[in-house]
Each structure stands twice: as structure tokens, then as C-alpha cells.
Amino acid sequence: MRRGRLSRTAGAALLCVCGLIPPACGYSTTRLTTQEYGGKTIAVKPITNATFRRDLSIRLTEEILRQLRARTSFVITSLDRADYVIEGTQYAEEIVAIQRADRTAVQMQFRGRVNVQLTARRTGRDVKQYSVNAAPEYVPPGGESLEGSATESLNRRLAIRIVQGLEAGF
């Protein structure tokens, strides 16, 4: 009888502690950005690719959608139903960050910029225009590749900054 009460008490205490640990570690279920514009829905037009790199802007558009879902309370919808529309143009270049004396690359940098425009769909009024930049570095042949990790890193960083740009005062 006594043993059953002790295990129930210990179980209840464990549940309380488990419920307190995530908030104490900084975890939260609230969205990182708040709606400053009054609208509830948003659409993302496919980002225009101003580079010769195939699929770069398609990957960025997909990453923006993921970041909007993760970081905002906007509901993502179609272009004809949205309160706001995000559109933009992506630019990118690959440069040598560190090179050997024989001019072979040791480390490369993949620089990217996106000019972003947030528009109120019903009025056509520009709500906000801004640019975001990112420049992940990678190790060429034998290490990381431009097609893999550098491209994904660039698009993830740009998408996060685009979504952060929706916040007032950013």
C-alpha cells in the first residue's frame, strides 16, 4: 500500500519536472514573428532567378514557405486569396575566399542577395521593400560542394532573413 503511494507521488513529481524543463531551456510553442500588418494570409510568388544557376530560386521559394510556417502566424494560401504577397529577385555569385600560392581555391564563398517586396494584394500597395544578404563559405572538391551544402545553407539563411524582414523595425 505504502509503496503504491510513493510511486504515484514520484510519477506525479516526474511529470511536473518534465513539464517545467522545456520552458526553462528556452523552448516555446509561440511563433517568432507577430503580424504587424493586420492581414492573416500570405502567398509567395516564385522568386525570380537572376543567375544562371538552375533551380536556385525554386529551392529558395520552398525554403521561404518552410520558414513562414515555422516562424510566423500567417496562413499560407494561393495568390488570389492572400492578404499579402511576397515576391523577389535572387542574385548569387561564387568567389574565392582563400587561395593557395598556385591560385587554387582552398575555401570558396557563395554570396547571395534577394530584393524582396511585400505587397497588399487587394490594393496593390507596396507595404515593404528590403534586401537580404548571406554568404556561406565552403570547401571545394574533396570537401563540401556548391550543389549540396553551400546552396542549401545560402537558401536557408536568405529565407530566414526574408521572414525576419516581415517584422516591424527589422
Side-chain angles (χ1 to χ4, degrees), residues 132-144:
V132 295
N133 300 297
E137 294 183 350
Y138 68 99
V139 178
E144 302 164 297

Side-chain angles (χ1 to χ4, degrees), residues 17-67:
V17 169
C18 289
L20 294 175
I21 289 175
C25 294
Y27 291 103
S28 173
T29 58
T30 59
R31 302 292 180 151
L32 297 179
T33 59
T34 57
Q35 293 179 29
E36 301 293 336
Y37 308 108
K40 296 185 180 348
T41 60
I42 196 163
V44 179
K45 278 189 176 178
I47 301 298
T48 303
N49 188 354
T51 72
F52 293 109
R53 298 186 190 284
R54 192 172 158 201
D55 295 338
L56 187 64
S57 60
I58 294 169
R59 292 180 189 179
L60 177 60
T61 303
E62 291 169 355
E63 188 62 34
I64 292 169
L65 290 168
R66 274 193 288 279
Q67 294 301 325

